[in-house]
Amino acid sequence: MASRNTIVAHVEDRPGVLARVASLFRRRGFNIESLTVGHCEEPGLSRMTIVVDGDDHQVDQVCRQLFKLIDVVSVEDITYTPMVDRELALIKVSASNFNRREVLDVVEVFRADVVDVHADALIVQVLGDEGKVSAAEKMFEQFGILEMVRTGRVAMRRGPQTTKPPAISDSQQAAAAIRAMLGRRPEGALPFASD
Amino acid sequence: MRLTGARILMECLRAEGVDVFFGYPGGVVLPLYNTLGEYPDIKHVLVRHEQAAAHAADGYARVAGRTGVCLATSGPGATNLVTGITTAYMDSVPMVVLTGNVARDLIGRDGFQEADITGITLPITKHNYLLMRASEIAPAVKEAFHIASTGRKGPVLVDIPKDVFVEEAEWDGYPQGVSLRGYPIMDVPRDDEVDHAAATINAAKRPIIIAGHGVVQSEAQDELIQFAERADSPVLTTLLGISGMPEDHELSYGFLGMHGHYYANMAADQADVVIGIGMRFDDRAMGRFSDFNPSAKIVHIDIDPAEIGKNFVTHAPVNGDVKETLSRLLPQIEQQTHPEWRGEIDQIMADHPTDYIEEGTGLGGPWLVKALAEYTQGQATIVTGVGQHQMWGAQYYPYTRARQWVTSGGLGTMGYEVPAAMGAQFAQQEPIWSLCGDGGFQMTSQELQTVADHNLPVRFAIFNNGFLGMVRQWQELFYEHNYHSVDLGQPDFVKLAEAYGVRGVRATTRAEAIQVFRDIEGYDGPVVIDFQLEREENVWPMVPAGAALSETIESAEEV
């Protein structure tokens, strides 16, 4: 099944780690839809949210190849788990005295915020999942989008379950955790059979 | 105790038990060479081209079963290593590659002889380091050796700027361990995976084992034999798996693939359970993926979780070290007998033997390898280049001892044969036999000087047919005999050898070849033998590119 999968990876916060990840994607011909990097709850680690285009087999390969990078501490495909995913967009919309009210109506519908105002333009901040941000973008097009930036997806599992990296101390436990993550696939879409 | 970065590096190599490494000096590694005299127990072999340093470390590693080490200066020195590093990476050979770089304040400013070697080698190393402080050297070298030699083995590069060699740091002994959170050791397989694999194997009626380089790397020859005997399963090897299964064993049926044995290809194609052990279902081994034995259930044992399910739907995946996994699997395998299945393969073997030795007195590749096997009683360590001679070497020599066969399988690097044999010779006393193509030999023959410097008893057997033989074979079979750029001019190899102070001999007939074997018996220095072969001999059998194993052909008429 072709889809956009959401992968969460924890990586060592070291120079060159982004290049390693990017090099791997290029080398293996994997298609990155978006990649977002930032701090996480643990100092020394960064959290990457990677949205990958491909069928389940390809995405499984992405995870396995990512895990082989020494600086990658954990990898998990959370596509099939309940999760919250968000992205943020800043959209500079053309708006003058003649149509500002109409623009603000759209802003309100999307529960977006106006974060900058000028006589000829506004900057609107839209926060939401990919579908919502895309819908807002489409609505603002009628007024004229002067400039836009989207962050790419960040995501987190719902409920008490986490995608925390395995502890430093226990390498066997880490191996088991990685294997468990790697094996988790919806029935019928496996690279290997389950019978 | 405070030491310079250069001394710290050498102390680390000593602590790792490195007794030989291959290198070539240059501007930025001068501070390191300045200290080499203080470490006489770590032999530095001066090569004549950095590519050879990498191949030599690779050849040494494959024969010794230890991590090979090579060294080059910055810029062109480092980039010359790239082919050798990729060769090792593709074949999972443990190697630590040391490079110098320009001084720290020049990095990123396109200084003289600066190359971004850590960037260049990102996709061809298991991991790499650019060290910006002398205090980082010891932990990084410890990690490098650990990463190179565990899990799925491979090359690790450590790049050290010139002034870091000079900078002092505290040395309080070699680090005891490593802390690599993103690199758990995955040797021990999961019980449920082992159980599932055992049940699948126990239910097999027509099992086949395909043993790969992982069997050799994991030193699991004994475990493989026990496992095969218990499952009563014929054993094939991949090209790199050769020597992982003794070929005089009754369950050994040679190797499979593009130029594998006909019966091996058919056995793989007709099995009901295919048990891949320490191998990666490569296209050269398996033929066209979509038509490889679609009904077979695949059991795949491999240390690298990314290999499992990469090319084939895998019925029973087992992620673990080969030796560890086989010893856990063995008690669960019920004693099987498959006389009918083995009888079928024996019949195919009787009908389609790999025996393409032509009548006459002239020299042919298959004849020559068989004669060599007889002369060396099947005991020699064979290193090859890439092409026809490599395939004949794989087909006609009876390998029985692990690490007896050294070849560039994944990358297919011509020119590997000379420096890899040279490096391998540092791992054993008995003469290494280097099977050379006349094309490959000319790529790296400058190393005859290094071989002469150390009076290494390598026998370079040039399979000289005056052609790039394998390319010519393809042009003959698949490009309507349209020979282009394959008719190789060449020097007088005997005179070339003699110019380096190396013994050179020539044989043009079978009788002369046998005489040569007798003449060089016991000679303790290097020998170059120019075996002048029939020019247009082909390697058979063959799976044409893009064909399935079941479409293996045995003559040009079948193309």
Side-chain angles (χ1 to χ4, degrees), chain B residues 173-209:
Chain B
Y174 196 50
Q176 291 298 308
V178 296
S179 171
L180 288 165
R181 197 173 174 189
Y183 184 69
I185 298 298
M186 315 276 278
D187 285 355
V188 180
R190 268 166 56 163
D191 290 340
D192 57 343
E193 293 187 344
V194 173
D195 295 348
H196 185 209
T200 309
I201 294 163
N202 283 332
K205 297 281 178 280
R206 304 158 66 85
I208 198 88
I209 293 168

mmCIF file of all heavy atoms in Angstrom, chain B residues 173-209:
data_model
loop_
_atom_site.group_PDB
_atom_site.id
_atom_site.type_symbol
_atom_site.label_atom_id
_atom_site.label_comp_id
_atom_site.label_asym_id
_atom_site.label_seq_id
_atom_site.Cartn_x
_atom_site.Cartn_y
_atom_site.Cartn_z
ATOM 1 N N GLY B 173 45.834 5.280 29.141
ATOM 2 C CA GLY B 173 45.556 3.910 28.721
ATOM 3 C C GLY B 173 44.417 3.863 27.715
ATOM 4 O O GLY B 173 43.637 4.803 27.574
ATOM 5 N N TYR B 174 44.381 2.729 27.025
ATOM 6 C CA TYR B 174 43.370 2.538 25.985
ATOM 7 C C TYR B 174 42.007 2.345 26.637
ATOM 8 O O TYR B 174 41.898 1.616 27.629
ATOM 9 C CB TYR B 174 43.749 1.302 25.166
ATOM 10 C CG TYR B 174 43.037 1.179 23.836
ATOM 11 C CD1 TYR B 174 43.002 2.245 22.940
ATOM 12 C CD2 TYR B 174 42.428 -0.020 23.481
ATOM 13 C CE1 TYR B 174 42.371 2.114 21.722
ATOM 14 C CE2 TYR B 174 41.796 -0.157 22.252
ATOM 15 C CZ TYR B 174 41.766 0.915 21.379
ATOM 16 O OH TYR B 174 41.134 0.789 20.169
ATOM 17 N N PRO B 175 40.964 2.976 26.099
ATOM 18 C CA PRO B 175 39.635 2.819 26.718
ATOM 19 C C PRO B 175 39.242 1.342 26.800
ATOM 20 O O PRO B 175 39.528 0.561 25.896
ATOM 21 C CB PRO B 175 38.714 3.574 25.759
ATOM 22 C CG PRO B 175 39.594 4.506 25.004
ATOM 23 C CD PRO B 175 40.929 3.852 24.927
ATOM 24 N N GLN B 176 38.592 0.979 27.878
ATOM 25 C CA GLN B 176 38.210 -0.422 28.086
ATOM 26 C C GLN B 176 36.989 -0.809 27.251
ATOM 27 O O GLN B 176 36.895 -1.916 26.747
ATOM 28 C CB GLN B 176 37.909 -0.670 29.563
ATOM 29 C CG GLN B 176 39.139 -0.600 30.448
ATOM 30 C CD GLN B 176 40.163 -1.663 30.092
ATOM 31 O OE1 GLN B 176 39.832 -2.840 30.017
ATOM 32 N NE2 GLN B 176 41.401 -1.249 29.839
ATOM 33 N N GLY B 177 36.065 0.107 27.148
ATOM 34 C CA GLY B 177 34.840 -0.237 26.425
ATOM 35 C C GLY B 177 34.333 0.938 25.621
ATOM 36 O O GLY B 177 34.966 1.990 25.580
ATOM 37 N N VAL B 178 33.220 0.719 24.980
ATOM 38 C CA VAL B 178 32.621 1.793 24.207
ATOM 39 C C VAL B 178 31.201 2.015 24.715
ATOM 40 O O VAL B 178 30.603 1.122 25.301
ATOM 41 C CB VAL B 178 32.558 1.457 22.703
ATOM 42 C CG1 VAL B 178 33.941 1.313 22.126
ATOM 43 C CG2 VAL B 178 31.733 0.204 22.459
ATOM 44 N N SER B 179 30.702 3.199 24.486
ATOM 45 C CA SER B 179 29.318 3.477 24.826
ATOM 46 C C SER B 179 28.638 3.988 23.565
ATOM 47 O O SER B 179 28.714 5.162 23.239
ATOM 48 C CB SER B 179 29.266 4.528 25.941
ATOM 49 O OG SER B 179 27.932 4.950 26.114
ATOM 50 N N LEU B 180 28.054 3.068 22.839
ATOM 51 C CA LEU B 180 27.421 3.420 21.573
ATOM 52 C C LEU B 180 25.953 3.049 21.648
ATOM 53 O O LEU B 180 25.565 1.906 21.429
ATOM 54 C CB LEU B 180 28.101 2.675 20.415
ATOM 55 C CG LEU B 180 29.499 3.150 20.050
ATOM 56 C CD1 LEU B 180 30.182 2.127 19.162
ATOM 57 C CD2 LEU B 180 29.439 4.499 19.363
ATOM 58 N N ARG B 181 25.168 4.032 21.980
ATOM 59 C CA ARG B 181 23.762 3.783 22.239
ATOM 60 C C ARG B 181 23.020 3.351 20.978
ATOM 61 O O ARG B 181 22.098 2.547 21.029
ATOM 62 C CB ARG B 181 23.177 5.067 22.768
ATOM 63 C CG ARG B 181 21.886 4.895 23.454
ATOM 64 C CD ARG B 181 21.560 6.219 24.059
ATOM 65 N NE ARG B 181 20.248 6.189 24.631
ATOM 66 C CZ ARG B 181 19.640 7.273 25.068
ATOM 67 N NH1 ARG B 181 20.265 8.433 24.987
ATOM 68 N NH2 ARG B 181 18.448 7.191 25.591
ATOM 69 N N GLY B 182 23.434 3.887 19.847
ATOM 70 C CA GLY B 182 22.737 3.571 18.596
ATOM 71 C C GLY B 182 23.304 2.344 17.912
ATOM 72 O O GLY B 182 23.045 2.115 16.735
ATOM 73 N N TYR B 183 24.102 1.562 18.642
ATOM 74 C CA TYR B 183 24.752 0.414 18.011
ATOM 75 C C TYR B 183 24.706 -0.796 18.930
ATOM 76 O O TYR B 183 25.712 -1.256 19.448
ATOM 77 C CB TYR B 183 26.204 0.782 17.662
ATOM 78 C CG TYR B 183 26.954 -0.300 16.918
ATOM 79 C CD1 TYR B 183 26.620 -0.619 15.617
ATOM 80 C CD2 TYR B 183 27.996 -0.989 17.529
ATOM 81 C CE1 TYR B 183 27.302 -1.609 14.940
ATOM 82 C CE2 TYR B 183 28.685 -1.985 16.847
ATOM 83 C CZ TYR B 183 28.330 -2.281 15.556
ATOM 84 O OH TYR B 183 29.007 -3.258 14.884
ATOM 85 N N PRO B 184 23.511 -1.323 19.173
ATOM 86 C CA PRO B 184 23.426 -2.516 20.019
ATOM 87 C C PRO B 184 23.974 -3.732 19.271
ATOM 88 O O PRO B 184 23.880 -3.807 18.052
ATOM 89 C CB PRO B 184 21.926 -2.674 20.274
ATOM 90 C CG PRO B 184 21.268 -1.991 19.124
ATOM 91 C CD PRO B 184 22.185 -0.877 18.713
ATOM 92 N N ILE B 185 24.553 -4.646 20.014
ATOM 93 C CA ILE B 185 25.026 -5.893 19.416
ATOM 94 C C ILE B 185 23.815 -6.812 19.242
ATOM 95 O O ILE B 185 23.083 -7.073 20.187
ATOM 96 C CB ILE B 185 26.092 -6.555 20.321
ATOM 97 C CG1 ILE B 185 27.309 -5.625 20.444
ATOM 98 C CG2 ILE B 185 26.500 -7.915 19.779
ATOM 99 C CD1 ILE B 185 28.016 -5.338 19.154
ATOM 100 N N MET B 186 23.622 -7.268 18.021
ATOM 101 C CA MET B 186 22.405 -8.024 17.683
ATOM 102 C C MET B 186 22.720 -9.507 17.466
ATOM 103 O O MET B 186 22.031 -10.169 16.699
ATOM 104 C CB MET B 186 21.768 -7.454 16.414
ATOM 105 C CG MET B 186 21.677 -5.942 16.355
ATOM 106 S SD MET B 186 20.240 -5.285 17.181
ATOM 107 C CE MET B 186 19.001 -5.499 15.924
ATOM 108 N N ASP B 187 23.759 -10.024 18.119
ATOM 109 C CA ASP B 187 24.197 -11.397 17.846
ATOM 110 C C ASP B 187 23.147 -12.441 18.209
ATOM 111 O O ASP B 187 22.963 -13.430 17.506
ATOM 112 C CB ASP B 187 25.484 -11.707 18.625
ATOM 113 C CG ASP B 187 26.689 -11.033 17.997
ATOM 114 O OD1 ASP B 187 26.527 -10.419 16.928
ATOM 115 O OD2 ASP B 187 27.780 -11.123 18.577
ATOM 116 N N VAL B 188 22.493 -12.250 19.345
ATOM 117 C CA VAL B 188 21.585 -13.282 19.848
ATOM 118 C C VAL B 188 20.212 -13.127 19.203
ATOM 119 O O VAL B 188 19.587 -12.071 19.307
ATOM 120 C CB VAL B 188 21.465 -13.184 21.382
ATOM 121 C CG1 VAL B 188 20.520 -14.255 21.907
ATOM 122 C CG2 VAL B 188 22.841 -13.315 22.022
ATOM 123 N N PRO B 189 19.736 -14.158 18.522
ATOM 124 C CA PRO B 189 18.441 -14.055 17.856
ATOM 125 C C PRO B 189 17.284 -14.185 18.844
ATOM 126 O O PRO B 189 17.463 -14.681 19.954
ATOM 127 C CB PRO B 189 18.445 -15.236 16.892
ATOM 128 C CG PRO B 189 19.295 -16.251 17.570
ATOM 129 C CD PRO B 189 20.352 -15.491 18.327
ATOM 130 N N ARG B 190 16.128 -13.741 18.418
ATOM 131 C CA ARG B 190 14.926 -13.916 19.231
ATOM 132 C C ARG B 190 14.496 -15.368 19.212
ATOM 133 O O ARG B 190 14.528 -16.019 18.170
ATOM 134 C CB ARG B 190 13.801 -13.047 18.667
ATOM 135 C CG ARG B 190 13.713 -11.682 19.280
ATOM 136 C CD ARG B 190 12.849 -10.759 18.494
ATOM 137 N NE ARG B 190 11.495 -11.264 18.280
ATOM 138 C CZ ARG B 190 10.478 -10.484 17.896
ATOM 139 N NH1 ARG B 190 10.687 -9.194 17.709
ATOM 140 N NH2 ARG B 190 9.295 -10.981 17.693
ATOM 141 N N ASP B 191 14.041 -15.861 20.353
ATOM 142 C CA ASP B 191 13.631 -17.268 20.449
ATOM 143 C C ASP B 191 12.509 -17.599 19.472
ATOM 144 O O ASP B 191 12.512 -18.653 18.847
ATOM 145 C CB ASP B 191 13.172 -17.587 21.874
ATOM 146 C CG ASP B 191 14.335 -17.595 22.850
ATOM 147 O OD1 ASP B 191 15.490 -17.740 22.382
ATOM 148 O OD2 ASP B 191 14.102 -17.439 24.061
ATOM 149 N N ASP B 192 11.533 -16.685 19.362
ATOM 150 C CA ASP B 192 10.388 -17.008 18.508
ATOM 151 C C ASP B 192 10.811 -17.100 17.044
ATOM 152 O O ASP B 192 10.286 -17.904 16.280
ATOM 153 C CB ASP B 192 9.249 -15.994 18.703
ATOM 154 C CG ASP B 192 9.673 -14.566 18.433
ATOM 155 O OD1 ASP B 192 10.888 -14.300 18.419
ATOM 156 O OD2 ASP B 192 8.793 -13.707 18.231
ATOM 157 N N GLU B 193 11.796 -16.302 16.658
ATOM 158 C CA GLU B 193 12.280 -16.387 15.283
ATOM 159 C C GLU B 193 13.008 -17.709 15.029
ATOM 160 O O GLU B 193 12.853 -18.333 13.979
ATOM 161 C CB GLU B 193 13.199 -15.193 14.965
ATOM 162 C CG GLU B 193 12.463 -13.862 14.958
ATOM 163 C CD GLU B 193 13.313 -12.687 14.484
ATOM 164 O OE1 GLU B 193 14.557 -12.800 14.440
ATOM 165 O OE2 GLU B 193 12.708 -11.647 14.158
ATOM 166 N N VAL B 194 13.788 -18.130 16.025
ATOM 167 C CA VAL B 194 14.497 -19.410 15.904
ATOM 168 C C VAL B 194 13.481 -20.560 15.832
ATOM 169 O O VAL B 194 13.598 -21.462 14.999
ATOM 170 C CB VAL B 194 15.469 -19.610 17.091
ATOM 171 C CG1 VAL B 194 16.078 -21.009 17.061
ATOM 172 C CG2 VAL B 194 16.563 -18.552 17.052
ATOM 173 N N ASP B 195 12.466 -20.501 16.685
ATOM 174 C CA ASP B 195 11.438 -21.553 16.701
ATOM 175 C C ASP B 195 10.744 -21.653 15.340
ATOM 176 O O ASP B 195 10.536 -22.749 14.806
ATOM 177 C CB ASP B 195 10.367 -21.245 17.766
ATOM 178 C CG ASP B 195 10.940 -21.278 19.172
ATOM 179 O OD1 ASP B 195 12.078 -21.761 19.328
ATOM 180 O OD2 ASP B 195 10.245 -20.807 20.102
ATOM 181 N N HIS B 196 10.391 -20.499 14.824
ATOM 182 C CA HIS B 196 9.670 -20.472 13.557
ATOM 183 C C HIS B 196 10.537 -21.027 12.422
ATOM 184 O O HIS B 196 10.091 -21.821 11.593
ATOM 185 C CB HIS B 196 9.226 -19.031 13.256
ATOM 186 C CG HIS B 196 8.373 -18.907 12.046
ATOM 187 N ND1 HIS B 196 8.340 -17.769 11.279
ATOM 188 C CD2 HIS B 196 7.543 -19.786 11.438
ATOM 189 C CE1 HIS B 196 7.519 -17.954 10.256
ATOM 190 N NE2 HIS B 196 7.018 -19.163 10.337
ATOM 191 N N ALA B 197 11.799 -20.630 12.428
ATOM 192 C CA ALA B 197 12.721 -21.127 11.401
ATOM 193 C C ALA B 197 12.882 -22.635 11.528
ATOM 194 O O ALA B 197 12.853 -23.370 10.529
ATOM 195 C CB ALA B 197 14.074 -20.429 11.529
ATOM 196 N N ALA B 198 13.025 -23.132 12.760
ATOM 197 C CA ALA B 198 13.217 -24.569 12.975
ATOM 198 C C ALA B 198 12.005 -25.347 12.470
ATOM 199 O O ALA B 198 12.145 -26.376 11.794
ATOM 200 C CB ALA B 198 13.460 -24.846 14.459
ATOM 201 N N ALA B 199 10.815 -24.839 12.778
ATOM 202 C CA ALA B 199 9.600 -25.532 12.338
ATOM 203 C C ALA B 199 9.532 -25.562 10.813
ATOM 204 O O ALA B 199 9.162 -26.589 10.217
ATOM 205 C CB ALA B 199 8.371 -24.826 12.911
ATOM 206 N N THR B 200 9.912 -24.472 10.192
ATOM 207 C CA THR B 200 9.881 -24.407 8.726
ATOM 208 C C THR B 200 10.873 -25.399 8.128
ATOM 209 O O THR B 200 10.576 -26.106 7.157
ATOM 210 C CB THR B 200 10.227 -22.975 8.257
ATOM 211 O OG1 THR B 200 9.392 -22.047 8.957
ATOM 212 C CG2 THR B 200 10.025 -22.820 6.768
ATOM 213 N N ILE B 201 12.047 -25.466 8.720
ATOM 214 C CA ILE B 201 13.086 -26.360 8.203
ATOM 215 C C ILE B 201 12.694 -27.821 8.442
ATOM 216 O O ILE B 201 12.886 -28.683 7.585
ATOM 217 C CB ILE B 201 14.444 -26.023 8.861
ATOM 218 C CG1 ILE B 201 14.895 -24.619 8.419
ATOM 219 C CG2 ILE B 201 15.507 -27.059 8.496
ATOM 220 C CD1 ILE B 201 15.971 -24.003 9.287
ATOM 221 N N ASN B 202 12.116 -28.095 9.612
ATOM 222 C CA ASN B 202 11.709 -29.469 9.909
ATOM 223 C C ASN B 202 10.612 -29.962 8.967
ATOM 224 O O ASN B 202 10.489 -31.157 8.721
ATOM 225 C CB ASN B 202 11.240 -29.580 11.359
ATOM 226 C CG ASN B 202 12.408 -29.605 12.325
ATOM 227 O OD1 ASN B 202 13.509 -30.043 11.973
ATOM 228 N ND2 ASN B 202 12.191 -29.122 13.533
ATOM 229 N N ALA B 203 9.817 -29.035 8.463
ATOM 230 C CA ALA B 203 8.716 -29.418 7.569
ATOM 231 C C ALA B 203 9.157 -29.505 6.107
ATOM 232 O O ALA B 203 8.370 -29.889 5.244
ATOM 233 C CB ALA B 203 7.569 -28.407 7.714
ATOM 234 N N ALA B 204 10.403 -29.130 5.830
ATOM 235 C CA ALA B 204 10.861 -29.091 4.434
ATOM 236 C C ALA B 204 11.026 -30.496 3.864
ATOM 237 O O ALA B 204 11.448 -31.412 4.558
ATOM 238 C CB ALA B 204 12.181 -28.339 4.344
ATOM 239 N N LYS B 205 10.665 -30.626 2.587
ATOM 240 C CA LYS B 205 10.901 -31.891 1.892
ATOM 241 C C LYS B 205 12.100 -31.777 0.959
ATOM 242 O O LYS B 205 12.766 -32.739 0.650
ATOM 243 C CB LYS B 205 9.663 -32.259 1.055
ATOM 244 C CG LYS B 205 8.418 -32.507 1.896
ATOM 245 C CD LYS B 205 8.457 -33.899 2.503
ATOM 246 C CE LYS B 205 7.247 -34.140 3.386
ATOM 247 N NZ LYS B 205 7.411 -33.514 4.715
ATOM 248 N N ARG B 206 12.308 -30.560 0.465
ATOM 249 C CA ARG B 206 13.383 -30.324 -0.493
ATOM 250 C C ARG B 206 14.155 -29.074 -0.065
ATOM 251 O O ARG B 206 14.139 -28.058 -0.747
ATOM 252 C CB ARG B 206 12.786 -30.102 -1.894
ATOM 253 C CG ARG B 206 11.889 -31.249 -2.353
ATOM 254 C CD ARG B 206 10.914 -30.790 -3.434
ATOM 255 N NE ARG B 206 11.576 -30.420 -4.670
ATOM 256 C CZ ARG B 206 11.916 -31.290 -5.620
ATOM 257 N NH1 ARG B 206 11.641 -32.564 -5.471
ATOM 258 N NH2 ARG B 206 12.518 -30.885 -6.699
ATOM 259 N N PRO B 207 14.840 -29.163 1.079
ATOM 260 C CA PRO B 207 15.521 -27.965 1.574
ATOM 261 C C PRO B 207 16.825 -27.684 0.822
ATOM 262 O O PRO B 207 17.456 -28.603 0.304
ATOM 263 C CB PRO B 207 15.832 -28.326 3.024
ATOM 264 C CG PRO B 207 15.998 -29.820 2.993
ATOM 265 C CD PRO B 207 15.054 -30.333 1.946
ATOM 266 N N ILE B 208 17.184 -26.443 0.759
ATOM 267 C CA ILE B 208 18.501 -26.080 0.237
ATOM 268 C C ILE B 208 19.060 -24.980 1.128
ATOM 269 O O ILE B 208 18.332 -24.073 1.531
ATOM 270 C CB ILE B 208 18.408 -25.616 -1.242
ATOM 271 C CG1 ILE B 208 19.776 -25.661 -1.904
ATOM 272 C CG2 ILE B 208 17.848 -24.211 -1.392
ATOM 273 C CD1 ILE B 208 20.099 -26.986 -2.520
ATOM 274 N N ILE B 209 20.331 -25.109 1.455
ATOM 275 C CA ILE B 209 21.001 -24.065 2.240
ATOM 276 C C ILE B 209 21.857 -23.239 1.284
ATOM 277 O O ILE B 209 22.560 -23.795 0.436
ATOM 278 C CB ILE B 209 21.900 -24.686 3.331
ATOM 279 C CG1 ILE B 209 21.043 -25.388 4.389
ATOM 280 C CG2 ILE B 209 22.799 -23.628 3.978
ATOM 281 C CD1 ILE B 209 21.836 -26.259 5.348
#
